[in-house]
Each structure stands twice: as C-alpha cells, then as structure tokens.
C-alpha cells in the first residue's frame, strides 16, 4: 500500500459520500493500522478513511476517558460501516480536524449516540457512547458523508474563519 497522507480542505475526496465496505480482508486491516499511526502522529482522536484519500466507510477512533487516552490495546477502535442513532441533548464544544490544520470552531452535537457497525472481521457491533466519545463518532461519521465540521458551525463563525479557509484551499491547490 502506498504511503498515505492527510488530505486537506479543497480535496474532492473529503466532499464525497464514501462507499460501504464489503470485503473484510487483510487490505482493510492494513489500512486501519496505517490510519491509527497517522492519527497518533497527528495527535488526533479520530480519523476517517476519506481523510487519507480512501472513499470507504471506515473510521478509527481513540476513545478518551476524562480527557485522557485509555491505556492499552483497547484505546483504539476500528469501526467499519458505522451508523449512529443520536439522542440526549445538544451541546456546543470546540472541534478541530486533521484536514483543517490551524482551524477550530464551536460545533453543536448530540450528547448520546448508539453506534452500529462492524469490526475489521465483519462481526456486527453495537455500543452506546456519551459526551466526548459520542462527539468524536459524530465528527468521524460525518466525514463518510462528505461533511466537515466547518459545515456545522454558525455563519458568523464561518465568516470569521473565511480568510484562514481560503488560505488552506489555496495551499491545497498549489500542492496538486
Ligand atoms: Zn475531521
């Protein structure tokens, strides 16, 4: 597998609806492993396949407990074909994204979610999450539908960020 890199604002793959995963093979596990490395190196708490240029429904997440990474093997999770049922109240909190370096914004998200999906071997999973993990999941699943957090911030906040966003897009097109 070729070296993966983070795609930033302006890259088309970030705006596409990602494809359902149907093959639970070694290639999928290898991609998930590489995504975890990239997530850790970038100090991220979650990463979706489109962020590394792969338009498939796979996310990796580092779940947090009271702001700290959970130690041990279980601190990372790979979820294939994730679906969320949202509930609870909505809360606003600052978010960032590896695809939008240097940009942060206040995003409203639900406080509870039920996660349905599959693991890397194709087994069905169903888990409940609240607070920060629920927020991370909503952010990552959004990526699979071509939605970035800046699509969910207020128009005022977006206007304030417009200069930075323009610079990012310009940087991207220079790289292409
Ligand atoms: Zn993101």
């Amino acid at each position: 597998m070729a070296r993966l890199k983070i795609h930033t604002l302006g890259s088309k793959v970030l705006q596409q609806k990602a494809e359902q995963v149907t093959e639970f093979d070694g290639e999928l596990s290898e991609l998930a492993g590489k995504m975890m490395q990239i997530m850790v190196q970038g100090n991220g708490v979650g990463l979706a396949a489109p962020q590394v240029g792969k338009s498939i429904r796979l996310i990796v997440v580092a779940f947090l407990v009271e702001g700290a990474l959970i130690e041990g093997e279980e601190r990372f999770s790979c979820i294939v074909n994730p679906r969320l049922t949202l509930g609870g109240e909505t809360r606003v909190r600052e978010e960032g994204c590896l695809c939008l370096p240097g940009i942060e914004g206040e995003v409203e998200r639900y406080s509870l979610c039920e996660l349905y999906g599959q693991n890397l071997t194709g087994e069905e999973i169903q888990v409940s999450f609240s607070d920060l993990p629920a927020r991370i999941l909503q952010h990552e699943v959004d990526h699979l539908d071509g939605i970035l957090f800046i699509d969910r911030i207020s128009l005022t906040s977006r206007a304030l960020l417009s200069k930075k966003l323009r610079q990012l897009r310009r940087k991207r097109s220079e790289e292409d």
Side-chain angles (χ1 to χ4, degrees):
M1 192 180 294
R3 238 181 88 82
L4 299 172
K5 63 162 188 142
I6 294 274
H7 285 236
T8 53
L9 186 68
S11 176
K12 279 206 185 75
V13 70
L14 296 177
Q15 295 174 319
Q16 288 166 358
K17 200 171 160 68
E19 298 284 331
Q20 198 79 0
V21 173
T22 52
E23 305 249 349
F24 296 83
D25 53 13
E27 204 179 318
L28 184 70
S29 301
E30 194 189 338
L31 174 61
K34 287 194 171 173
M35 283 169 58
M36 281 182 185
Q37 283 175 9
I38 290 173
M39 174 177 74
V40 173
Q41 282 160 6
N43 290 317
V45 288
L47 193 68
Q51 295 183 269
V52 293
K54 305 281 179 191
S55 197
I56 61 166
R57 305 188 83 81
L58 164 68
I59 62 174
V60 298
V61 179
F63 287 117
L64 303 166
V65 170
E66 290 169 359
L69 279 170
I70 302 168
E71 289 300 325
E73 295 300 313
E74 69 286 357
R75 68 185 205 171
F76 300 114
S77 305
C78 308
I79 305 138
V80 185
N81 300 325
R83 283 174 289 118
L84 301 177
T85 305
L86 304 173
E89 55 202 61
T90 58
R91 289 178 195 157
V92 172
R93 185 179 168 142
E94 196 144 271
E95 289 185 18
C97 179
L98 292 174
C99 297
L100 297 157
I103 290 174
E104 284 175 345
E106 305 238 295
V107 187
E108 192 172 15
R109 304 271 188 197
Y110 285 93
S111 60
L112 302 174
C113 75
E114 190 75 16
L115 166 71
Y116 302 87
Q118 286 156 282
N119 64 16
L120 288 173
T121 55
E123 284 166 62
E124 299 285 337
I125 50 173
Q126 182 185 346
V127 198
S128 307
F129 291 96
S130 60
D131 304 314
L132 190 56
R135 172 174 292 272
I136 296 168
L137 284 168
Q138 287 166 72
H139 178 118
E140 300 311 329
V141 172
D142 266 357
H143 275 299
L144 304 182
D145 293 321
I147 300 166
L148 297 174
F149 83 81
I150 49 166
D151 299 322
R152 294 199 183 273
I153 62 178
S154 68
L155 284 176
T156 321
S157 315
R158 186 142 178 160
L160 289 170
L161 288 172
S162 65
K163 194 177 162 199
K164 277 187 174 177
L165 294 173
R166 255 202 320 276
Q167 284 169 344
L168 249 185
R169 275 205 191 85
R170 197 177 308 132
K171 193 164 163 273
R172 169 83 208 169
S173 54
E174 279 165 10
E175 282 170 10
D176 283 344

